[in-house]
Amino acid sequence: MKDTFKHQGLRNQLATLLSEKGITNKVVLTAIAKIPRHLFLDSSFEDFAYKDQAFPIVAEQTISQPYTVAFQTELLDIQPNEKVLEIGTGSGYQTAMLLELRAEVYTIERQNELFKKTKLFLPKLGYRPKLMLFGDGYKGLKEHAPYDKILVTAGAPFVPKALLGQLKIGGKLVIPVGEETQFMHVYIRTDVKKFQKQELGECKFVPMLKKKN
Ligand code: SAH
């Protein structure tokens, strides 16, 4: 697990690139320049770790493209100590981003192999989510609700009602919705039964899966 000046240089370049692509949140860009993404990937991809691309990880899943991670995080507008639920832990890279923003993170992954790997890996880098769970993201995590923010990092065929129901009033859900390609949706809970919905641009995620492995 080596992190060198070369890696640091590449990370700085990646942060600059993302700012050129329209990311303006300074805290997000600082986190991009800090998190050692190459350690979240299989070593055969190490040379490409700081390209703005998604890469395969175990269990046919992907580590999201850095721009996507930055974009979703910027949309969430995380404040320190906010309670955040993440659906799709994957490699843990997005989880690390949320932790860099000092959120209290609850994260769910439905692939057991990936869950076990990431649960061991994140603390090695000093990243400690409040809870990492092997489970079904469609149900959210009622025991610890309500959340200030909920983030879905897989393409959802529809917006799970459970997730909307687990938001605080004033809370925000960021979720890519669609089958083949998705559109980024943002829901703000303005009242117990009222949500303000915003639909943003097209994006591409691995599908949010229904059956547990
Ligand atoms: N945030 C991750 C992105 C991983 S890709 C990263 O930065 O690496 C999406 C992840 O969502 C995959 O790991 C996939 O296994 C997981 N996933 C898919 N369907 C899910 C579900 N129903 N509940 C929880 N996780 C799910």
Side-chain angles (χ1 to χ4, degrees):
M1 296 233 297
K2 246 173 61 186
D3 190 26
T4 64
F5 283 118
K6 184 179 153 215
H7 293 124
Q8 182 59 62
L10 292 170
R11 279 203 287 282
N12 290 343
Q13 284 175 23
L14 177 61
T16 306
L17 177 70
L18 297 189
S19 105
E20 284 162 9
K21 287 188 173 181
I23 303 297
T24 56
N25 185 318
K26 290 276 181 298
V27 195
V28 171
L29 292 170
T30 304
I32 292 280
K34 183 168 172 200
I35 305 169
R37 187 173 190 250
H38 64 285
L39 301 179
F40 290 74
L41 297 169
D42 194 276
S43 55
S44 54
F45 290 105
E46 195 183 319
D47 288 349
F48 310 103
Y50 296 103
K51 291 205 179 304
D52 189 21
Q53 283 174 18
F55 287 107
I57 49 176
V58 293
E60 291 172 14
Q61 299 306 319
T62 58
I63 178 170
S64 301
Q65 183 185 351
Y67 176 78
T68 306
V69 173
F71 180 63
Q72 284 197 297
T73 311
E74 185 162 87
L75 282 175
L76 281 171
D77 188 25
I78 307 277
Q79 303 302 318
N81 303 318
E82 278 187 340
K83 204 167 165 184
V84 180
L85 176 65
E86 178 192 30
I87 309 298
T89 316
S91 69
Y93 181 73
Q94 171 77 66
T95 317
M97 167 64 83
L98 297 170
L99 290 166
E100 284 290 347
L101 270 59
R102 311 223 317 268
E104 182 181 290
V105 183
Y106 297 77
T107 182
I108 306 179
E109 172 57 53
R110 65 165 291 287
Q111 301 269 10
N112 205 8
E113 190 189 353
L114 201 47
F115 163 72
K116 286 197 272 192
K117 188 168 180 239
T118 304
K119 193 175 163 74
L120 284 177
F121 169 70
L122 278 180
K124 286 188 189 154
L125 294 185
Y127 291 119
R128 292 189 173 75
K130 193 89 178 167
L131 191 65
M132 295 185 77
L133 209 74
F134 168 55
D136 180 8
Y138 281 93
K139 295 190 190 131
L141 184 58
K142 213 171 157 193
E143 295 87 325
H144 296 276
Y147 303 94
D148 294 289
K149 309 282 162 69
I150 301 179
L151 169 63
V152 178
T153 73
F158 56 87
V159 180
K161 281 219 171 71
L163 298 185
L164 289 171
Q166 290 173 21
L167 279 178
K168 284 186 188 169
I169 309 288
K172 199 187 245 190
L173 166 69
V174 172
I175 179 170
V177 184
E179 306 271 353
E180 276 294 297
T181 55
Q182 299 86 31
F183 287 87
M184 197 68 80
H185 288 220
V186 179
Y187 287 84
I188 296 175
R189 188 172 205 172
T190 52
D191 207 337
V192 179
K193 290 195 170 160
K194 277 200 200 130
F195 295 87
Q196 190 188 77
K197 181 183 158 189
Q198 204 186 352
E199 194 176 312
L200 301 160
E202 204 173 323
C203 46
K204 193 147 176 57
F205 284 81
V206 293
M208 186 169 173
L209 302 164
K210 290 211 180 98
K211 267 195 299 170
K212 251 196 260 184
N213 289 358

